[in-house]
Amino acid sequence: MSNRELVVLSVGGVRFVTRASTLQQFPESRLARMLNDDDQEFKLVNGEFFVDRDGTLFSYIMDFLRTLQVSLPADFSDYERLQREAEFYGLCPLADLLSQEHLLKPRLEILEVRFSLQEMQAFFRIFGSCSTTVETLAEQITVFTGQQSGQSWNSPFPSQKPLVPLPLERPSHHDMAFQCGTDYSAGDQFVARYVSIKPDNRKLINGTNVLGLLLDTLLKGGFRLVSTKTVSSEEKVECYIFERMKRRAGLTVTVNQTPGSSGVAQAKRSQMQKGK
């Protein structure tokens, strides 16, 4: 029976079809011993192994065996129950990883957008609790500068003169600053700053339009607007607070199986590396 290529399991009424080699990823597990008729907990009925356990949670067990990774939805909460199932099946590496629930749970990410409108210029500053998100957002935002005549400073379209991209101000890994609009230059010329936010291809000069595009980009990126407030009425500084649940870097953990190594030890080392 251990030589059969395909194995059918009925777990709590949910049917699973997999390869025997998948169930044998961890030879000491009960699933591997099941194929040798070495565990009475698993009943063979009409060619299918019947297991009186939770079928929904077993889908995560199967995903782990197929990928040697722990990948759980952002809203997953049954860590203790899944750990109990992993222990039942004798999958020590998976049970060990699930016991580190604090490393696997998604974390709340906060993003703050400050917006100030002063005459013909608008100023933006973005603070984020996750430096990776701020870095990603900085790669999406480009500020272009060029000169225009005073008669066309408020045109929604850039002048025909070439626009030069400017680097964003990055006071730290957790924030960025940029501005748009126009400022006086020599004679009747204005220095104009346009903002483009990918994947939108427009170059916007009006601060209110840029703010609308920025907020829309964040909402499409999974953020939720939780509050708005006026920080300074004199300076006209508005503050928009966003939040979203983000998976931790260690949520997907690879378990390397090497000859002569323990699955548990490999799982622990892999988790530690992910946390660096």
Side-chain angles (χ1 to χ4, degrees):
M1 187 176 298
S2 61
N3 294 324
R4 66 164 62 188
E5 183 178 358
L6 296 180
V7 180
V8 181
L9 300 95
S10 177
V11 184
V14 182
R15 195 168 181 267
F16 297 88
V17 181
T18 187
R19 295 179 179 273
S21 58
T22 300
L23 299 175
Q24 294 169 332
Q25 289 282 7
F26 298 91
E28 299 302 318
S29 72
R30 299 182 72 176
L31 290 170
R33 298 200 308 268
M34 172 191 73
L35 299 179
N36 297 319
D37 289 331
D38 196 23
D39 197 312
Q40 297 302 313
E41 188 73 31
F42 303 89
K43 304 294 183 181
L44 188 60
V45 180
N46 298 325
E48 299 184 6
F49 286 99
F50 174 76
V51 191
D52 190 17
R53 303 294 294 190
D54 191 305
T56 300
L57 293 178
F58 190 73
S59 64
Y60 300 115
I61 301 285
M62 285 304 308
D63 183 65
F64 172 74
L65 292 174
R66 287 166 176 156
T67 65
L68 294 182
Q69 296 179 336
V70 179
S71 300
L72 303 174
D75 59 351
F76 186 81
S77 59
D78 288 337
Y79 291 93
E80 292 185 5
R81 291 182 61 214
L82 184 55
Q83 180 183 352
R84 187 166 63 242
E85 293 300 293
E87 292 172 348
F88 170 80
Y89 292 108
L91 295 171
C92 298
L94 178 57
D96 180 68
L97 292 176
L98 291 168
S99 68
Q100 305 176 66
E101 182 179 337
H102 64 287
L103 297 177
L104 299 175
K105 276 188 173 181
R107 70 181 185 276
L108 182 64
E109 183 179 355
I110 305 296
L111 196 73
E112 177 184 293
V113 176
R114 294 200 174 196
F115 170 68
S116 175
L117 191 60
Q118 301 176 12
E119 297 183 351
M120 294 183 295
Q121 297 186 78
F123 299 86
F124 296 82
R125 188 158 187 175
I126 301 175
F127 303 86
S129 61
C130 177
S131 60
T132 302
T133 296
V134 175
E135 186 67 35
T136 300
L137 192 58
E139 293 174 357
Q140 292 180 258
I141 299 174
T142 305
V143 177
F144 298 89
T145 185
Q147 285 191 339
Q148 290 187 315
S149 65
Q151 297 177 347
S152 61
W153 72 268
N154 59 351
S155 170
F157 304 103
S159 67
Q160 298 301 315
K161 296 181 181 180
L163 296 177
V164 179
L166 292 176
L168 301 180
E169 295 181 40
R170 296 298 307 276
S172 73
H173 293 297
H174 288 272
D175 63 334
M176 72 177 83
F178 60 92
Q179 66 185 83
C180 65
T182 58
D183 194 7
Y184 288 104
S185 182
D188 63 345
Q189 296 292 308
F190 286 86
V191 174
R193 289 184 176 86
Y194 299 85
V195 174
S196 175
I197 305 177
K198 297 176 182 178
D200 194 294
N201 294 319
R202 293 174 295 169
K203 295 180 177 65
L204 304 177
I205 194 172
N206 182 280
T208 303
N209 293 340
V210 173
L211 176 64
L213 179 57
L214 176 60
L215 300 186
D216 185 60
T217 300
L218 294 175
L219 292 173
K220 290 180 178 178
F223 280 98
R224 181 173 66 94
L225 180 63
V226 293
S227 69
T228 60
K229 61 182 179 180
T230 300
V231 178
S232 172
S233 57
E234 295 181 358
E235 298 179 1
K236 298 181 181 179
V237 179
E238 300 174 358
C239 182
Y240 301 81
I241 306 295
F242 293 82
E243 68 177 29
R244 73 176 176 184
M245 295 302 294
K246 184 177 181 180
R247 289 182 175 182
R248 289 191 176 275
L251 185 59
T252 300
V253 183
T254 301
V255 180
N256 298 316
Q257 290 284 69
T258 58
S261 68
S262 165
V264 177
Q266 287 290 322
K268 288 183 178 178
R269 286 198 292 271
S270 177
Q271 175 67 66
M272 291 174 63
Q273 291 171 359
K274 284 287 185 176
K276 288 183 179 179

